[in-house]
């Protein structure tokens, strides 16, 4: 790909208790064994391992996982069997806002058992009686009858508190809902976003597209420097949170669109809208080749590509370089200490 310089690695500011979101799964660690709440054993589709001493999450997560597992065992609730597509318990999703010190709890079940007012009362009593370091500000119950092993909502009920966590970065405030994407290592993300915007260069008087913008964190930071920013994200809840945050942060020069990136690039091109700088932070599967083609047609001066999957990033970079861009710099961030994963940031510029 023409990368001639060495790749710098930036370490995470913290290496323990950094992960701000976990999706625990209900199941059993051995066939027919007791109900277990934990994580999938690597290479095994059905086995669930408890994680009592996990050191990459806040200690409150370990306490909550253990307490909810016990709570569900006492009620003899069954877990969802993916083979038979029967059962009740699916996931426990925990989130923490580590810049402000807040917790969110989301219990995900099927609709096999009707969640009652008594269930709510007893579940909240359990949470209230726990000795935690951080306060729980949001409690949800989600029903999900999808056969896919993903956390999604057929219904979403706020049992107590408010509907979001609050994070603060770069003197801006962000609300993170139960299905919003937010960097799981917030302290590391501050360093990552600082570097990404440094690579983007001087944004004064320029138009910036932030594609796959999530809850709009990077777009809003960019808006403090650029003339105009357009954020595109397919998850409507994340876009709503981004719009609310931009109003709360008094940023009138940023606009968020709930749409597929490819569709919105088509629409913007038809309107004659062109970016000077494009920021990319796609999901693990990377960028659709047709979307890359539209980005190439827009011919921005600079492209900054953030990736949580270097394998797909390399594939995408080959399309950008074949389309007339040169790789100027690549840096890596240890966003996930104690794991094999790394996040990379690449700056590209037009060859002409």
């Amino acid at each position: 790909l023409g990368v001639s310089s060495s790749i710098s690695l930036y370490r995470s500011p913290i290496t323990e208790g950094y992960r701000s979101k976990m999706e625990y799964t209900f199941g059993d660690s051995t066939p027919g064994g007791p109900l277990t709440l934990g994580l999938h054993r690597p290479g095994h589709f059905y086995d669930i391992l408890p994680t009592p001493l996990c050191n990459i999450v806040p200690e409150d997560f370990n306490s909550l996982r253990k307490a909810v597992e016990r709570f569900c065992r006492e009620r003899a609730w069954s877990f969802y069997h993916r083979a038979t597509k029967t059962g009740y318990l699916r996931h426990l999703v925990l989130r923490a806002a580590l810049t402000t010190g807040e917790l969110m709890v989301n219990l995900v079940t099927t609709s096999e058992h009707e969640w009652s007012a008594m269930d709510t009362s007893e579940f909240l009593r359990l949470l209230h009686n726990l000795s935690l370091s951080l306060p729980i500000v949001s409690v949800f119950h989600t029903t999900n009858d999808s056969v896919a092993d993903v956390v999604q909502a057929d219904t979403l009920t706020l049992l107590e508190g408010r509907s979001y966590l609050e994070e603060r970065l770069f003197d801006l405030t962000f609300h993170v809902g139960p299905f919003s994407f937010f960097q799981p290592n917030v302290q590391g993300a501050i360093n990552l976003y600082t570097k990404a915007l440094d690579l983007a260069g001087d944004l004064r008087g320029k138009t910036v597209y932030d594609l796959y913008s999530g809850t709009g964190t990077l777009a809003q930071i960019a808006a403090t420097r650029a003339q105009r920013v357009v954020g595109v994200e397919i998850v409507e809840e994340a876009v709503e949170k981004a719009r609310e945050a931009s109003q709360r942060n008094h940023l009138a020069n940023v606009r968020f669109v709930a749409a597929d990136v490819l569709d919105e690039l088509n629409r913007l091109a038809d309107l004659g809208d062109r970016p000077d700088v494009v920021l990319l932070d796609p999901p693990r599967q990377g960028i659709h080749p047709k979307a890359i083609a539209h980005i190439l047609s827009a011919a921005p001066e600079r492209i900054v590509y953030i990736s949580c999957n270097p394998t797909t990033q390399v594939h995408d970079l080959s399309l950008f370089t074949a389309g007339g861009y040169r790789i100027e710099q690549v840096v890596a961030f240890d966003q996930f200490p104690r794991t094999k994963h790394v996040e990379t940031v690449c700056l590209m510029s037009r060859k002409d």
Side-chain angles (χ1 to χ4, degrees):
L1 295 177
V3 181
S4 57
S5 60
S6 60
I7 298 176
S8 300
L9 175 64
Y10 291 79
R11 296 183 180 275
S12 173
I14 55 176
T15 58
E16 294 186 357
Y18 65 85
R19 188 170 179 86
S20 62
K21 179 187 176 186
M22 287 293 286
E23 295 181 0
Y24 297 105
T25 301
F26 288 95
D28 52 19
S29 55
T30 57
L35 178 70
T36 301
L37 177 58
L39 301 177
H40 290 280
R41 187 153 64 99
H44 294 263
F45 192 64
Y46 295 105
D47 297 351
I48 302 298
L49 294 179
T51 57
L53 300 175
C54 181
N55 59 22
I56 69 171
V57 302
E59 187 55 38
D60 284 347
F61 281 22
N62 292 325
S63 300
L64 284 161
R65 184 207 63 82
K66 182 179 179 180
V68 173
E69 178 186 71
R70 183 178 65 250
F71 176 86
C72 295
R73 281 182 179 178
E74 290 171 351
R75 281 148 187 79
W77 286 342
S78 62
F79 67 87
Y80 179 74
H81 295 258
R82 283 180 290 172
T84 62
K85 300 178 177 56
T86 59
Y88 183 54
L89 299 166
R90 298 199 69 158
H91 299 94
L92 175 70
V93 184
L94 303 179
R95 302 192 81 141
L98 297 180
T99 62
T100 58
E102 300 176 341
L103 294 172
M104 175 184 291
V105 177
N106 184 9
L107 182 64
V108 184
T109 71
T110 69
S111 60
E112 183 174 286
H113 163 78
E114 184 178 353
W115 183 269
S116 67
M118 181 64 72
D119 292 332
T120 295
S121 176
E122 292 179 348
F123 188 59
L124 293 178
R125 186 181 306 116
L126 166 80
L127 300 179
H128 294 163
N129 289 336
L130 292 176
S131 178
L132 302 172
S133 300
L134 303 178
I136 298 173
V137 302
S138 303
V139 183
F140 288 93
H141 172 240
T142 296
T143 60
N144 173 21
D145 289 322
S146 168
V147 297
D149 187 32
V150 294
V151 179
Q152 60 188 51
D154 295 331
T155 66
L156 176 66
T157 304
L158 179 65
L159 302 181
E160 184 177 71
R162 62 172 191 250
S163 62
Y164 59 87
L165 298 180
E166 190 170 272
E167 290 275 20
R168 298 195 185 112
L169 285 79
F170 298 91
D171 297 321
L172 301 173
T173 301
F174 301 94
H175 288 182
V176 183
F179 292 95
S180 302
F181 172 80
F182 207 80
Q183 283 283 350
N185 179 351
V186 176
Q187 295 301 324
I190 292 172
N191 292 343
L192 186 151
Y193 289 150
T194 298
K195 184 63 177 178
L197 289 173
D198 285 347
L199 293 176
D202 186 358
L203 298 180
R204 287 175 294 181
K206 294 185 176 179
T207 293
V208 177
Y209 287 1
D210 181 13
L211 307 181
Y212 313 96
S213 56
T215 52
T217 309
L218 186 57
Q220 290 177 72
I221 300 168
T224 64
R225 310 180 185 195
Q227 178 176 329
R228 185 171 70 100
V229 179
V230 178
V232 184
E233 168 61 47
I234 198 168
V235 179
E236 292 189 6
E237 186 218 9
V239 172
E240 285 303 314
K241 289 287 184 286
R243 289 169 177 163
E244 292 168 5
S246 64
Q247 293 176 3
R248 192 167 49 253
N249 290 319
H250 308 292
L251 297 171
N253 62 330
V254 59
R255 180 172 64 90
F256 291 99
V257 181
D260 178 81
V261 164
L262 176 58
D263 294 339
E264 184 60 18
L265 286 174
N266 273 328
R267 193 186 72 82
L268 290 168
D270 289 343
L271 293 173
D273 198 292
R274 293 289 187 271
D276 299 299
V277 176
V278 169
L279 306 175
L280 298 167
D281 191 358
R284 291 190 62 81
Q285 61 265 34
I287 306 171
H288 194 287
K290 290 184 178 179
I292 292 178
H294 281 289
I295 295 169
L296 293 172
S297 296
E301 299 168 13
R302 291 188 170 205
I303 300 172
V304 179
Y305 186 159
I306 302 170
S307 176
C308 60
N309 187 350
T311 301
T312 56
Q313 186 183 37
V314 167
H315 172 268
D316 293 344
L317 292 180
S318 68
L319 299 180
F320 280 112
T321 54
Y325 280 79
R326 139 186 340 109
I327 296 175
E328 301 285 359
Q329 188 176 354
V330 180
V331 294
F333 287 82
D334 185 15
Q335 279 289 90
F336 313 101
R338 301 173 183 264
T339 77
K340 63 183 179 181
H341 301 289
V342 68
E343 196 131 342
T344 52
V345 183
C346 176
L347 169 64
M348 291 176 281
S349 63
R350 283 204 316 263
K351 290 179 182 178
D352 57 2

